[in-house]
Amino acid sequence: MTTPVTAPPERFNFARHLLELNAGRAQKVALIDDAGTLTYGQLADQVQRFAGALAALGLRREERVLLLMHDSSDWVVAFLGALHAGVVPVAVNTLLTAQDYAYMLANSRAQAALVSGALLPTLQTALDSLQGQGGHEVRHLVVSRASGALPEGAHDFAALLARSQPATAADTHGEEPAFWLYSSGSTGAPKGTVHTQANLYWTAELYGKAVLGLRESDVVFSAAKLFFAYGLGNALSFPLSVGASVVLMAERPTPQACFKRFVEQRPTIFYGAPTGYGGMLASPDLPARSQVALRLCSSAGEALPQDIGERWTRHFGVDIIDGIGSTEMLHIFLSNRPGDVRYGTTGKPVPGYEIELRGEDGRAVADGEIGDLYIRGPSAALMYWNNRGKSRDTFQGGWTKAGDKYTRDADGYCTYAGRNDDMLKVSGIYVSPFEVEATLVQHPAVLEAAVIGKTDADGLTKTKAFVVLKAGAQASEAELQAFVKERLAPYKYPRFIEFLSELPKTATGKIQRFRLRERETGPA
């Protein structure tokens, strides 16, 4: 029987909560990044100093600061220091354009920007572009690990910490706005998603501890970056809630970069996405089981194909716990779990969350039928900033509309059936693009596939697949069509196949099917 999780007190500051939890671990390593290590004692000191630095710069409670930094101990210190001060960090994707950052700076009305030195030129371009459009509200620029001279008036992160005095934690309410994450844009323009102090607590308790079973002795490594809701739990709130050690990596999570950490830092827990797992399995440099210390792996971002999960387990002898979460719910709410993995499904609701699968009439669908996924749980975001229409559509009373379609079998296991706007009706019957994609990637020559609807000359919707072949592999359109026909209902096979060198994706690895649709019809 699952033990109920105790709710946090009404007055709650998540950063203070973490520092208090780890007060007895001052000498233990908390963070391992590309520059070195930080103990829990050093982390507590730096978080409190950064909170003091923000106050000294004149940042006030609930004002926003843009957080554009590569994964490092500085990222963690900046995020927790802002929470500690009651200032709201707006954590953004590090792989976007200056135009994107200009939009986010203006949308959030950020009063300061915290940036890695390598990203400073792009941010500076964004700031300059806003000056030409009437200005911006950024009053302070704080640069982490700069390799050259800083712009006039900018602050060096390390120097700012060194001269600042530790501050006491702001007396925040657990339900007040604490941080923002922008939606990843897999279906269009990003939205500023506003989360509370308590939401980090709930995901750590309900998923990090209760489902994944993280423990103090673990060393965790997440390929998903900290700016991603999935990565924020993986590499910050979950491990620091149990006193584990975290491996942080600034560079992109290529197979080789991940393998280097697997072998040298020997993490026991690894978090990735299906695209990453597929790429690693296809790499000739895949380490042997004896070279790694993995005891558990996690996947999210998109549904994990059964074939990838089974091959990973055969090679490393550990399960991949596949789940689905969202920026709006902060982390995973539907998941497989250790000892109960059914590859090809996304498992069952995480204890503490409820789900409903609803039809077009708003009523619950029967087992085996495709329905829209709705979630109810304590980690839901408050709203999308300055977007009342989208907020009302997504946050419906106690329920959050996921935008995904699922089926549930008689045993309660849920299987992904695609995004609402990606589902196809072929001859009046719903076709899940994910089902077709999952079949295509079983072909030995196929690395990745994405399926959309294409309107034929008669105005009817037919399936079209975009396929990326493995290096050196060959396959024809007819061969792949026959392969799918042998495994799925005949009406589901892709009528059209186009071969690409790569699929368009967000920085967090989600396939941007709307970009593929634009190839067919032009931008909406």
Side-chain angles (χ1 to χ4, degrees):
M1 175 178 277
T2 303
T3 303
V5 174
T6 303
E10 182 177 275
R11 310 303 303 184
F12 181 75
N13 183 296
F14 185 74
R16 177 175 58 196
H17 167 71
L18 286 186
L19 300 191
E20 290 174 349
L21 283 178
N22 294 298
R25 300 186 178 100
Q27 301 305 313
K28 184 180 179 185
V29 171
L31 307 174
I32 306 162
D33 71 6
D34 301 335
T37 62
L38 205 66
T39 66
Y40 273 101
Q42 292 169 326
L43 176 62
D45 178 65
Q46 291 192 15
V47 166
Q48 292 171 91
R49 285 181 181 275
F50 195 72
L54 292 174
L57 292 175
L59 273 296
R60 297 175 297 179
R61 290 272 299 273
E62 299 185 23
E63 288 187 325
R64 271 82 64 191
V65 296
L66 192 80
L67 176 50
L68 173 60
M69 294 166 64
H70 290 305
D71 280 19
S72 66
S73 60
D74 285 357
W75 199 109
V76 177
V77 168
F79 183 84
L80 291 177
L83 262 60
H84 197 270
V87 172
V88 177
V90 179
V92 299
N93 187 327
T94 58
L95 298 173
L96 301 180
T97 65
Q99 183 179 358
D100 294 317
Y101 298 134
Y103 165 77
M104 292 171 177
L105 285 164
N107 181 251
S108 66
R109 300 200 305 274
Q111 301 296 301
L114 319 174
V115 61
S116 291
L119 297 167
L120 179 59
T122 305
L123 179 66
Q124 194 64 61
T125 301
L127 291 168
D128 292 345
S129 72
L130 287 172
Q131 289 288 25
Q133 301 170 29
H136 55 75
E137 298 189 32
V138 174
R139 295 181 282 122
H140 300 286
L141 188 61
V142 180
V143 185
S144 165
R145 303 182 184 182
S147 57
L150 298 181
E152 184 178 355
H155 303 275
D156 176 76
F157 190 94
L160 182 64
L161 275 182
R163 66 174 181 263
S164 297
Q165 295 299 312
T168 57
D171 183 25
T172 49
H173 193 290
E175 298 304 319
E176 74 178 62
F179 64 99
W180 294 15
L181 301 172
Y182 275 91
S183 63
S184 58
S186 58
T187 58
K191 300 174 288 294
T193 311
V194 182
H195 277 284
T196 70
Q197 292 275 353
N199 285 359
L200 291 159
Y201 170 88
W202 283 115
T203 56
E205 294 295 318
L206 295 174
Y207 197 71
K209 293 181 182 179
V211 173
L212 296 181
L214 296 188
R215 45 193 187 233
E216 184 178 3
S217 58
D218 280 319
V219 176
V220 309
F221 171 46
S222 176
K225 298 299 186 179
L226 285 163
F227 63 76
F228 185 23
Y230 178 48
L232 181 61
N234 299 344
L236 194 155
S237 58
F238 292 5
L240 300 187
S241 290
V242 298
S245 299
V246 184
V247 177
L248 297 169
M249 179 176 74
E251 65 187 293
R252 296 192 68 169
T254 63
Q256 287 68 32
C258 291
F259 297 157
K260 177 179 171 66
R261 274 75 185 178
F262 282 4
V263 173
E264 294 182 0
Q265 303 296 345
R266 295 183 63 80
T268 56
I269 308 290
F270 174 68
Y271 306 87
T275 299
Y277 284 111
M280 285 189 279
L281 286 168
S283 172
D285 301 321
L286 186 69
R289 183 186 301 192
S290 60
Q291 293 178 277
V292 305
L294 298 172
R295 73 172 183 86
L296 187 68
C297 295
S298 167
S299 179
E302 288 193 297
L304 179 74
Q306 180 176 349
D307 177 63
I308 288 178
E310 290 175 345
R311 286 194 289 131
W312 186 270
T313 297
R314 282 198 298 271
H315 183 84
F316 285 114
V318 297
D319 289 330
I320 300 177
I321 307 302
D322 185 31
I324 181 175
S326 66
T327 305
E328 292 77 9
M329 294 301 296
L330 189 56
H331 213 274
I332 290 172
F333 48 78
L334 180 64
S335 181
N336 285 272
R337 59 206 65 192
D340 185 16
V341 173
R342 190 174 293 191
Y343 285 132
T345 80
T346 318
K348 298 178 179 180
V350 171
Y353 294 87
E354 299 175 63
I355 71 160
E356 284 189 1
L357 303 182
R358 302 178 186 174
E360 293 179 359
D361 60 1
R363 297 180 179 179
V365 300
D367 287 347
E369 294 183 9
I370 292 175
D372 294 324
L373 176 63
Y374 288 76
I375 315 102
R376 181 159 62 187
S379 62
L382 294 173
M383 62 178 167
Y384 299 127
W385 182 256
N386 284 354
N387 199 331
R388 196 172 189 182
K390 287 285 188 182
S391 295
R392 283 178 164 176
D393 182 56
T394 298
F395 305 107
Q396 302 180 9
W399 293 91
T400 300
K401 182 180 180 180
D404 297 289
K405 287 186 181 289
Y406 265 83
T407 61
R408 180 172 45 213
D409 65 22
D411 295 327
Y413 293 88
C414 296
T415 300
Y416 184 63
R419 291 285 302 175
N420 287 3
D421 49 2
D422 292 330
M423 288 296 291
L424 309 175
K425 258 191 175 177
V426 179
S427 302
I429 305 172
Y430 271 122
V431 174
S432 163
F434 179 76
E435 184 181 23
V436 182
E437 292 162 7
T439 302
L440 281 166
V441 298
Q442 293 175 30
H443 189 283
V446 175
L447 177 64
E448 295 180 306
V451 172
I452 64 168
K454 177 181 173 67
T455 303
D456 66 13
D458 297 319
L460 300 174
T461 298
K462 301 293 173 61
T463 48
K464 175 172 181 176
F466 294 85
V467 171
V468 178
L469 297 177
K470 294 176 181 176
Q474 293 185 335
S476 68
E477 181 177 8
E479 179 184 349
L480 295 181
Q481 288 172 327
F483 184 83
V484 175
K485 283 181 183 178
E486 291 172 1
R487 289 159 176 80
L488 296 179
Y491 69 89
K492 296 182 178 180
Y493 86 92
R495 270 44 169 206
F496 313 95
I497 293 179
E498 182 176 341
F499 295 96
L500 299 177
S501 59
E502 61 180 357
L503 297 176
K505 296 172 187 167
T506 69
T508 52
K510 292 184 181 179
I511 296 169
Q512 292 178 309
R513 291 179 183 80
F514 76 96
R515 297 289 185 203
L516 298 174
R517 286 193 288 270
E518 287 176 357
R519 290 173 63 97
E520 302 299 312
T521 62

